Amino acid sequence: MIYEGKSVVFTLNVIKTIILGIVEGFTEWLPISSTGHLVLVGSVLKMDETKAFMDMFNYVIQFGAILAVVVLFFHKLNPFSPRKTGLEQKQTWTLWSKVVIAVIPSVIIGFPLNDWMDAHLMNNWVVASMLILYGILFIVIENRNKSVTPKFTDLNTLPYLTAFWIGCFQALSIIPGTSRSGATILGAIIIGTSRFVGAEFSFFMAIPTMVGVSVLKIGKFFYEGNTFTGDQTIILLIGMVVSFAISIVSIKFLMDYIKKHDFKVFGWYRIILGLLVLGAMLFA
């Protein structure tokens, strides 16, 4: 009977993990906050796992999403590709150097504050507030930019200083509900990039940023004396695989979408979701 009980719990955890993987895959690349959605959905699903494991899970599951970027943009990101000319290889190295410059603010600001943010801001009130705030900003900035011609429409012409300032916007995403892609794309548009360039650069910045966060969270998990059980290992792998598969779809959708549309629909989505969450908490 005990074994059967554990089997049921594990099965339910797998189902919940698949749901969370789907949520992560869809929301990681759309400017609507994957961490915020994982916090909201996780507060409803309530997986039967320790808080230490879930704190780590909500970040490490994003590793599957990172692999989706690597797979989809492998040729563009690979400086050793034999199909590239000498100039194209040089441009790829330059792109990576800009990504490294852009990640510096997150390393300096984000990593030291990460644990404090988890302890004090990882809750539905903060998530809802940030969803609404950045939703309003998306609508306001898109309206402002209707008659503005982007200064940078090609990643190869993106200056190093501009890449650094985009990285500063990424550092804001340590607040749950902000959205890493949302903050970076919004910042890139404000600075003067096209939506397409802002989105692409946001994707590429995610690789070192999210790998670093994943390593940090796993390291903290083990440093605090925790270990993975067999079930937890399976759950983590399932979450990453599902987030990888869904991220492929999500990235392709976004890159096609922004060729003809702006980000206001995501702004309205954020505002409506944020208000619904606030309403649910106030009247619960």
Side-chain angles (χ1 to χ4, degrees):
M1 293 295 292
I2 295 177
Y3 175 80
E4 289 180 357
K6 289 184 177 180
S7 178
V8 170
V9 170
F10 175 69
T11 301
L12 290 174
N13 276 347
V14 168
I15 294 172
K16 293 174 183 178
T17 298
I18 292 172
I19 295 173
L20 291 173
I22 293 172
V23 170
E24 162 61 24
F26 270 124
T27 60
E28 180 60 50
W29 309 110
L30 305 182
I32 54 177
S33 179
S34 62
T35 302
H37 279 75
L38 288 175
V39 170
L40 294 175
V41 176
S43 67
V44 175
L45 294 182
K46 298 186 184 300
M47 284 180 62
D48 187 16
E49 286 292 348
T50 65
K51 183 179 184 301
F53 177 79
M54 291 309 301
D55 287 345
M56 178 272 302
F57 174 90
N58 283 338
Y59 287 95
V60 178
I61 191 178
Q62 298 173 349
F63 190 75
I66 302 170
L67 293 178
V69 175
V70 174
V71 170
L72 287 175
F73 296 96
F74 184 76
H75 176 69
K76 189 165 190 173
L77 294 171
N78 180 16
F80 304 106
S81 173
R83 292 186 290 147
K84 287 185 175 179
T85 64
L87 175 61
E88 289 172 332
Q89 290 179 343
K90 182 180 179 181
Q91 289 174 334
T92 305
W93 282 116
T94 301
L95 173 59
W96 273 112
S97 64
K98 292 174 184 177
V99 168
V100 170
I101 292 295
V103 170
I104 290 175
S106 292
V107 175
I108 296 175
I109 300 171
F111 283 177
L113 293 177
N114 194 268
D115 288 343
W116 186 89
M117 292 290 181
D118 283 351
H120 296 86
L121 300 181
M122 193 67 77
N123 60 72
N124 291 351
W125 291 103
V126 174
V127 170
S129 300
M130 290 300 101
L131 284 171
I132 294 170
L133 174 61
Y134 277 83
I136 293 172
L137 287 175
F138 263 116
I139 295 170
V140 170
I141 290 170
E142 284 288 14
N143 285 334
R144 187 208 71 171
N145 275 26
K146 278 183 178 179
S147 57
V148 176
T149 302
K151 292 184 289 185
F152 311 111
T153 57
D154 186 333
L155 273 178
N156 293 321
T157 65
L158 191 71
Y160 280 93
L161 184 59
T162 301
F164 175 79
W165 284 120
I166 294 173
C168 291
F169 279 93
Q170 177 176 255
L172 297 174
S173 66
I174 58 175
I175 303 175
T178 298
S179 170
R180 192 204 59 80
S181 62
T184 52
I185 293 172
L186 192 66
I189 292 173
I190 292 172
I191 294 169
T193 76
S194 66
R195 296 185 193 94
F196 196 89
V197 168
E200 266 201 332
F201 195 65
S202 174
F203 294 161
F204 301 157
M205 287 170 61
I207 298 173
T209 301
M210 293 162 64
V211 167
V213 171
S214 296
V215 171
L216 181 70
K217 290 299 181 180
I218 291 176
K220 179 187 175 185
F221 183 78
F222 286 115
Y223 178 77
E224 293 178 346
N226 302 295
T227 57
F228 288 146
T229 65
D231 287 355
Q232 288 175 335
T233 302
I234 293 172
I235 287 171
L236 197 57
L237 289 173
I238 289 174
M240 287 191 289
V241 169
V242 173
S243 70
F244 167 79
I246 300 300
S247 287
I248 295 288
V249 178
S250 181
I251 292 171
K252 288 182 176 180
F253 163 77
L254 182 63
M255 298 310 287
D256 286 338
Y257 179 86
I258 60 178
K259 290 177 182 177
K260 299 179 181 178
H261 305 86
D262 59 27
F263 285 105
K264 283 192 288 187
V265 66
F266 298 114
W268 285 113
Y269 171 82
R270 292 177 65 106
I271 293 170
I272 293 170
L273 178 61
L275 290 174
L276 288 174
V277 173
L278 286 179
M281 291 187 293
L282 288 171
F283 298 104

